[in-house]
């Protein structure tokens, strides 16, 4: 956001830095070169979708656990793919962001065996096809949820009072989903 604002104010910033009546000689050395401005532009283009993703995942009222992994996979597939014509800085930035998403969200290693995010995505009708996964990963995710469901089915039933709050919450969520698509749905697709 800071770089975006800097680009927006490029003209006035350059004018002030090059004006000897306003800026000291030492300050005039702060003017960015054309190459540096290009790097700022490239960085803004790479980071803009990350801002949207962060805002969607940080919402108080509409945050969706099940949309987390689909959104992360989508951003990697659509925005963080390295292209031949990308600058060296852009390539490095995209690669680093992609690797950090994998590392921090454990998208490579133990994702399918322990991720609550994948379990939520399997159970969410919007993502039940898990199109962001390979066939093998998809089958593993379905199997994990099936095993979880079987283990829950063998547990003794809890008191009805404990379940009534859960049923009310599920009804509220279903009603909200019927009201229409959210920003999350638009970002994932």
């Amino acid at each position: 956001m800071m770089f975006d604002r800097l680009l927006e104010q490029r003209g006035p910033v350059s004018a002030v830095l090059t004006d000897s009546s306003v800026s000291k000689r030492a300050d005039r050395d702060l003017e960015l070169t054309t190459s540096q401005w290009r790097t700022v532009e490239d960085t803004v283009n790479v980071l803009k979708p990350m801002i949207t993703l962060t805002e969607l995942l940080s919402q108080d009222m509409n945050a969706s656990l099940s949309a987390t992994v689909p959104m992360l996979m989508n951003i990697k597939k659509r925005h963080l793919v390295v292209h031949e014509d990308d600058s060296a800085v852009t390539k490095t930035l995209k690669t680093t962001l992609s690797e950090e998403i994998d590392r921090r969200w454990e998208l490579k290693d133990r994702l399918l065996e322990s991720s609550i995010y994948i379990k939520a995505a399997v159970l969410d009708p919007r993502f039940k096809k898990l199109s962001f996964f390979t066939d093998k990963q998809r089958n593993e995710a379905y199997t994990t949820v099936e095993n979880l469901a079987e283990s829950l089915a063998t547990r003794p039933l809890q008191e009805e009072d404990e379940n009534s709050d859960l049923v009310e919450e599920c009804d509220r969520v279903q009603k909200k989903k019927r009201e229409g698509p959210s920003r999350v749905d638009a970002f994932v697709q």
Side-chain angles (χ1 to χ4, degrees):
M1 291 166 60
M2 178 186 67
F3 275 169
D4 198 26
R5 183 73 171 157
L6 180 62
L7 285 172
E8 179 185 308
Q9 298 298 319
R10 180 179 179 174
V13 168
S14 294
V16 167
L17 289 174
T18 57
D19 188 348
S20 60
S21 65
V22 177
S23 300
K24 300 175 195 165
R25 184 178 235 355
D27 291 342
R28 282 186 237 138
D29 293 337
L30 296 175
E31 174 60 27
L32 298 177
T33 65
T34 303
S35 172
Q36 291 169 324
W37 281 113
R38 197 172 306 116
T39 299
V40 170
E41 288 173 4
D42 291 345
T43 302
V44 166
N45 290 333
V46 172
L47 293 179
K48 266 191 180 176
M50 300 298 288
I51 292 170
T52 304
L53 176 68
T54 301
E55 290 170 350
L56 290 171
L57 292 176
S58 301
Q59 292 179 349
D60 285 339
M61 300 302 288
N62 297 321
S64 176
L65 183 69
S66 62
T68 303
V69 172
M71 288 169 58
L72 290 167
M73 299 297 265
N74 182 36
I75 205 161
K76 285 179 54 182
K77 184 169 62 174
R78 291 188 179 179
H79 302 289
L80 297 180
V81 174
V82 176
H83 301 286
E84 284 184 34
D85 59 338
D86 287 342
S87 68
V89 171
T90 301
K91 287 178 182 178
T92 302
L93 183 59
K94 286 180 175 182
T95 302
T96 303
L97 284 171
S98 188
E99 288 170 356
E100 284 299 312
I101 287 172
D102 287 345
R103 186 183 67 77
R104 292 169 191 250
W105 290 88
E106 297 179 344
L107 294 182
K108 292 282 185 197
D109 303 327
R110 301 173 302 131
L111 176 70
L112 297 174
E113 52 189 64
S114 64
S115 176
I116 188 74
Y117 301 102
I118 293 299
K119 293 169 188 161
V122 169
L123 296 172
D124 189 325
R126 297 175 297 173
F127 311 116
K128 68 181 177 186
K129 292 182 181 177
L130 303 177
S131 58
F132 48 89
F133 276 152
T134 65
D135 289 339
K136 181 182 180 210
Q137 291 172 320
R138 189 176 306 111
N139 290 335
E140 287 180 38
Y142 291 143
T143 302
T144 301
V145 171
E146 287 170 4
N147 292 340
L148 178 62
E150 287 173 11
S151 72
L152 291 174
T154 60
R155 282 186 174 174
L157 292 176
Q158 296 177 348
E159 298 276 330
E160 190 173 311
D161 291 341
E162 292 178 21
N163 289 331
S164 64
D165 291 339
L166 182 60
V167 170
E168 287 175 20
E169 178 66 17
C170 288
D171 290 343
R172 187 185 67 75
V173 169
Q174 287 301 321
K175 180 182 176 193
K176 192 167 191 164
K177 283 186 179 181
R178 287 191 295 266
E179 292 173 357
S182 66
R183 282 184 64 206
V184 169
D185 295 335
F187 189 77
V188 170
Q189 296 171 352

